Amino acid sequence: MVSESGSSSASGRGRGGARTSAEGGASAGGGGLFASLRSDATLFLKVTATAYVLMEFGASLTMCMGPSMEPVIHAAGDVVVIDKLHTLRHGVSAGEIVVLRSPLDHRVHVCKRVVATAGQPVPGRHGQVVPRGMVWVEGDNKQNSTDSRSYGAVPAALVLGRVTYRVYPWRFAGRLD
């Protein structure tokens, strides 16, 4: 046999290491197409799975809108980053802005500030303590917010993550505390 380099060898491979179709390599008829498609599909699945895990458990973007968090979050809507990983690992703390499933309609997400966590007293409610596994959330705009003052303490499991940054509108982009 003659290899790509032009030298003869008994094994069918020359210095270039090329295989002939008789040795199981790709034939000149495009046998590598299936392998290429399989490689592309594998790469697509890996990228998709990584993106899903990052968005589900890491961080994601959402739009917070409505008057309940004014003046920190604008009623017209701000695009914010939700840090889910920190919340999964450490829970939430009083003072943090969070996105949670509304206790009134789980299909709706709301932005609120955590005022008290389990075992802490609720400000303005003499002697009331947040029960275990619950959080007390309120909007910063007390006159225009439906929150724990209306529906009581919220299961901590409804909290999706803490809001860390505003990314839009651009002129207000930056860290939110």
Side-chain angles (χ1 to χ4, degrees), residues 50-114:
T50 301
Y52 173 79
V53 168
L54 287 175
M55 288 178 18
E56 188 67 24
F57 303 108
S60 64
L61 297 176
T62 194
M63 179 175 276
C64 289
M65 57 191 326
S68 73
M69 284 301 294
E70 285 186 317
V72 176
I73 295 178
H74 305 97
D78 289 353
V79 177
V80 297
V81 175
I82 305 172
D83 181 355
K84 297 177 180 182
L85 184 60
H86 182 272
T87 304
L88 284 171
R89 295 184 69 204
H90 305 288
V92 294
S93 300
E96 292 179 334
I97 300 171
V98 296
V99 173
L100 63 142
R101 294 185 197 288
S102 169
L104 304 176
D105 182 354
H106 293 289
R107 296 172 298 180
V108 175
H109 295 168
V110 295
C111 282
K112 302 290 179 193
R113 187 175 301 274
V114 176

Side-chain angles (χ1 to χ4, degrees), residues 39-49:
S39 174
D40 290 347
T42 301
L43 177 62
F44 174 77
L45 288 174
K46 286 179 181 178
V47 169
T48 303

Side-chain angles (χ1 to χ4, degrees), residues 21-46:
S21 60
E23 294 178 325
S27 67
L33 179 62
F34 178 73
S36 176
L37 289 175
R38 186 174 63 206
S39 174
D40 290 347
T42 301
L43 177 62
F44 174 77
L45 288 174
K46 286 179 181 178

